[in-house]
Amino acid sequence: MGAVVDLIADLGESFGAYRMGDDEALLDVVSSANIACGFHAGDPRVMDSTVRACVRRGVGVGAHPGFPDLVGFGRRALEMTPDEVRTDVLYQIGALSAFAAAHGTRLRHVTPHGRLGNLVVTDDEYAEAVTDAVQSYDPSLITVVQEGRLAAHARSRGLPVAVLGLADRAYQDDGTLVRRSEPDAVIHDPREVSERVVRMVTEGVIRSVNGRDIPVRCDSVLLHGDTPGAVELARTVRRELVAAAVRIRPLTEVLAAKNGAAR
């Protein structure tokens, strides 16, 4: 069986009169969407229209909960108790689920945004709090995250996990991401990004910021929608994956195919 992967993008990040990203163009590229739930970005009108657009194109809908930090776009660390993390994530999943139901679909996955998404990779308290929220709401939801503590906690409870690979972010030697405040944390050249993604999907490795090839499992490739040239980059990545005989499928189909092959 050839390689198969999901392409996913962070969408629905506009707020009120402020527009961010070209969601319509990205929806023609991706197979799944992480939709902001109103805490770090998005609002009820944006959530509604984004879910509607996903349903129209057959794109899988997922919740993208983040810290309550509109000013910092959810990329600043907040000191929160595990119960605050749990209830904030549960609140956001529930809010987006209402719009999904209104448009005749359901949530397929949950992936934490920004700084919360970074912390759950290394911090057990944050990871367990997010796992609690997902399990209590719907244990069939796929947790989409980099390898780390959240993936481990979710698997230990029998929850489905999809490992996330980041197309345009630099990796440390230990598999964590280079902080955005560091030089060259975000890669902008479409050719370089697409080459990295193809290797990640077909070979299971990625070149770290220090020039080492490190192992990276990848069920879903994240394409950021808020960076300059995001649409061109996303189209290039998809084109090069297809040229490498990689099949692009929704997340549920990717996991089903990989689980079937592993038996």
Side-chain angles (χ1 to χ4, degrees), residues 86 124-125 127-136 139 150-161:
R86 179 186 66 83
D124 277 304
E125 285 196 341
E128 191 163 11
V130 172
T131 305
D132 287 342
V134 173
Q135 184 174 36
S136 64
L150 176 55
H153 280 284
R155 289 190 187 109
S156 73
R157 301 193 200 181
L159 305 182
V161 173

Side-chain angles (χ1 to χ4, degrees), residues 14 19 26 51 62 67 71 98 120 149 151 173 180 192 204 220:
S14 298
R19 301 292 96 184
L26 283 169
V51 171
F67 283 140
V71 172
V120 296
R149 301 315 304 152
D173 290 347
R180 282 181 175 268
E192 181 181 357
S220 182

Side-chain angles (χ1 to χ4, degrees), residues 11-16 36-47 70 73:
L11 303 178
E13 295 179 329
S14 298
F15 181 81
C37 303
F39 272 34
H40 75 276
D43 62 37
R45 269 65 58 192
V46 172
M47 293 162 71
L70 282 172
F73 196 62

Side-chain angles (χ1 to χ4, degrees), residues 11-49:
L11 303 178
E13 295 179 329
S14 298
F15 181 81
Y18 300 94
R19 301 292 96 184
M20 179 174 287
D22 189 345
D23 287 6
E24 288 295 318
L26 283 169
L27 280 169
D28 290 332
V29 178
V30 300
S31 45
S32 298
N34 301 322
I35 300 178
C37 303
F39 272 34
H40 75 276
D43 62 37
R45 269 65 58 192
V46 172
M47 293 162 71
D48 183 61
S49 62

Side-chain angles (χ1 to χ4, degrees), residues 104-129:
T105 191
R106 58 181 292 269
L107 299 188
R108 303 295 178 182
H109 69 273
V110 175
T111 183
H113 164 82
R115 187 62 180 145
L116 176 61
N118 293 334
L119 286 169
V120 296
V121 173
T122 58
D123 188 294
D124 277 304
E125 285 196 341
Y126 282 91
E128 191 163 11

Side-chain angles (χ1 to χ4, degrees), residues 9 11 47 58 70 75-76 95 97 99 115 120 128 145 154 168 195 215 219 244 257:
L11 303 178
M47 293 162 71
L70 282 172
R75 288 177 175 159
R76 300 183 295 186
S97 184
F99 290 104
R115 187 62 180 145
V120 296
E128 191 163 11
V145 68
D168 61 351
E195 288 176 353
D219 300 312

